[in-house]
């Protein structure tokens, strides 16, 4: 076969289209998931399960960074300020993404402007637990009767003013007031774990919290789940009927979702969405979510953005109705 002259080869090469540059390895550094709440609570549990499931998919270590305080606002602000390169994720919840904008007069972040939605994780329904301080209260009607008989004497825990447990209990009490009135004393804590401990120690009377935490509180029989804030009974809290059986059509709980900082490149958002959705198919992740009374609910970024808009409208109305605001 004759050889082409060197000049001919160079001229031919010059006419060929340039090859597309190789895609840079991504991520090129360890990834962190920021959680706005302390270790030991549901946000921490789900964040760590997500980190474990993502690690083999991203080919990098994925760690959880707990930044608790101010109803999750400290962690949210840290995530919003992070470099938008896909190396920082944010485990947002309904409190941080839909309630805080109405509960706080000033926030160090904007839940819509400062985050790029990746995917919903799941909805986690609440269970209502009564602690050992009230051994005679064995069901929901007895709890409401006690609240009417001694207004302000029965106490309930939450992980902060205007948090979902606070607002959920206020919605229950408002539904029960009628002509007789039903009042309870709200005792806010900084996160779920210390609130659970206070109820189990008999320092606070009851707590509406994610069903997985409620189940763990009732294992020794000292605390009792008297209701679930779900449309149907929950397998992990047998014997605790939905509030609808008592005439309260209320289902409430937490939704959790993964976000990246705003201005994260669209191609990185797409890759993250694919990785997070695949992570939610991992048997270990599914089991962690199942133990919390939920199932994984992967979505597109667009569907998560729409959920956020709907939830801000709904919870804004609840905050205004209850007057639960902070400075």
């Amino acid at each position: 076969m004759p050889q082409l002259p060197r000049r001919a080869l160079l001229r031919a090469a010059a006419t060929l289209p340039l090859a597309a540059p190789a895609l840079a390895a991504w991520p090129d550094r360890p990834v962190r998931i920021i959680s706005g709440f302390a270790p030991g609570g549901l946000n921490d549990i789900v964040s760590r399960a997500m980190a474990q499931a993502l690690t083999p998919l991203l080919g990098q270590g994925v760690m959880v960074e707990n930044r608790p305080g101010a109803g999750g606002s400290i962690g949210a602000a840290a995530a919003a300020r992070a470099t938008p390169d896909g190396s920082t994720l944010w485990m947002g919840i309904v409190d941080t993404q839909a309630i805080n904008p109405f509960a706080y007069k000033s926030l160090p972040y904007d839940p819509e402007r400062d985050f790029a939605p990746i995917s919903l994780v799941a909805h986690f329904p609440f269970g209502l637990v009564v602690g050992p301080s009230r051994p005679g209260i064995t069901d929901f009607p007895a709890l409401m009767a006690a609240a009417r008989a001694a207004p302000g004497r029965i106490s309930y825990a939450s992980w902060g003013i205007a948090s979902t447990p606070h607002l959920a209990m206020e919605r229950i009490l408002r539904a029960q007031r009628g002509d007789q009135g039903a009042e309870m004393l709200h005792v806010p804590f900084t996160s779920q774990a210390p609130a659970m401990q206070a109820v189990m120690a008999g320092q606070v009377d009851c707590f509406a919290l994610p069903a997985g935490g409620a189940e763990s509180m009732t294992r020794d029989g000292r605390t009792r789940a008297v209701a679930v804030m779900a449309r149907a009974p929950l397998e992990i809290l047998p014997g605790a009927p939905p509030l609808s059986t008592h005439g309260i059509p209320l289902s409430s709980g937490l939704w959790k979702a993964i976000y990246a900082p705003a201005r994260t490149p669209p191609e990185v958002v797409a890759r993250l969405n694919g990785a997070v959705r695949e992570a939610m198919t991992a048997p270990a992740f599914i089991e962690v979510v199942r133990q919390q009374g939920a199932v994984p609910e992967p979505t597109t970024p667009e569907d998560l953005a729409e959920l956020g808009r709907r939830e801000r409208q709904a919870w804004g109305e609840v905050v205004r109705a209850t007057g639960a605001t902070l400075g």
Side-chain angles (χ1 to χ4, degrees):
M1 178 177 179
Q3 292 186 341
L4 291 174
R6 184 170 181 273
R7 284 186 181 179
L9 287 172
L10 291 174
R11 284 197 301 269
T15 65
L16 294 175
L18 293 175
L23 290 174
W26 180 89
D28 60 355
R29 69 190 73 181
V31 174
R32 61 175 177 161
I33 300 175
I34 296 180
S35 167
F37 298 88
L42 177 60
N43 214 54
D44 184 62
I45 292 169
V46 176
S47 295
R48 293 184 187 281
M50 177 61 71
Q52 183 177 13
L54 277 176
T55 293
L57 299 174
L58 298 182
Q60 286 282 3
V62 182
M63 58 170 283
V64 175
E65 181 179 320
N66 297 98
R67 299 287 294 270
S73 296
I74 291 175
R81 291 192 299 265
T83 303
D85 61 359
S87 64
T88 297
L89 302 177
W90 165 241
M91 183 66 78
I93 69 171
V94 59
D95 300 54
T96 59
Q97 309 307 120
I99 296 175
N100 286 359
F102 305 96
Y104 288 82
K105 294 179 181 177
S106 177
L107 272 185
Y109 70 96
D110 183 291
E112 187 166 12
R113 185 186 63 232
D114 291 341
F115 294 99
I118 302 298
S119 175
L120 178 68
V121 175
H123 287 80
F124 298 88
F126 280 170
L128 178 55
V129 173
V130 176
S133 60
R134 302 288 177 176
I137 297 178
T138 59
D139 56 24
F140 181 77
L143 178 62
M144 291 299 104
R148 292 192 192 93
R153 297 291 299 276
I154 305 294
S155 59
Y156 70 91
S158 80
W159 56 69
I161 295 172
S163 64
T164 37
H166 176 202
L167 296 177
M169 285 301 299
E170 284 300 310
R171 291 176 71 183
I172 290 173
L173 294 171
R174 289 167 71 86
Q176 291 289 297
R177 279 173 187 151
D179 296 331
Q180 294 179 301
E183 301 287 343
M184 289 187 183
L185 174 65
H186 176 214
V187 183
F189 291 83
T190 57
S191 62
Q192 177 177 314
M196 291 171 64
Q197 293 164 4
V199 174
M200 290 188 291
Q203 299 165 344
V204 183
D205 297 322
C206 62
F207 187 17
L209 74 161
E215 187 276 331
S216 69
M217 291 177 67
T218 61
R219 289 174 190 167
D220 65 0
R222 295 175 65 241
T223 61
R224 302 163 303 285
V226 298
V228 294
M229 299 182 187
R231 293 182 176 87
L234 298 179
E235 180 182 350
I236 64 172
L237 291 173
L243 285 175
S244 58
T245 63
H246 301 293
I248 304 176
L250 172 64
S251 59
S252 187
L254 288 178
W255 55 261
K256 297 185 181 296
I258 293 286
Y259 297 83
R263 298 176 299 281
T264 298
E267 62 273 18
V268 174
V269 168
R271 293 185 191 181
L272 283 169
N273 177 262
V276 168
R277 290 166 69 100
E278 187 172 352
M280 284 192 267
T281 67
F285 183 84
I286 293 172
E287 179 60 17
V288 167
V289 174
R290 188 197 67 78
Q291 290 173 359
Q292 307 300 323
V295 294
E297 299 178 65
T299 66
T300 65
E302 294 76 18
D303 286 343
L304 176 55
E306 177 59 28
L307 171 67
R309 286 189 286 269
R310 292 198 311 268
E311 288 287 277
R312 280 187 284 277
Q313 180 178 355
W315 285 102
E317 295 175 0
V318 175
V319 172
R320 286 188 288 269
T322 59
T325 57
L326 293 160

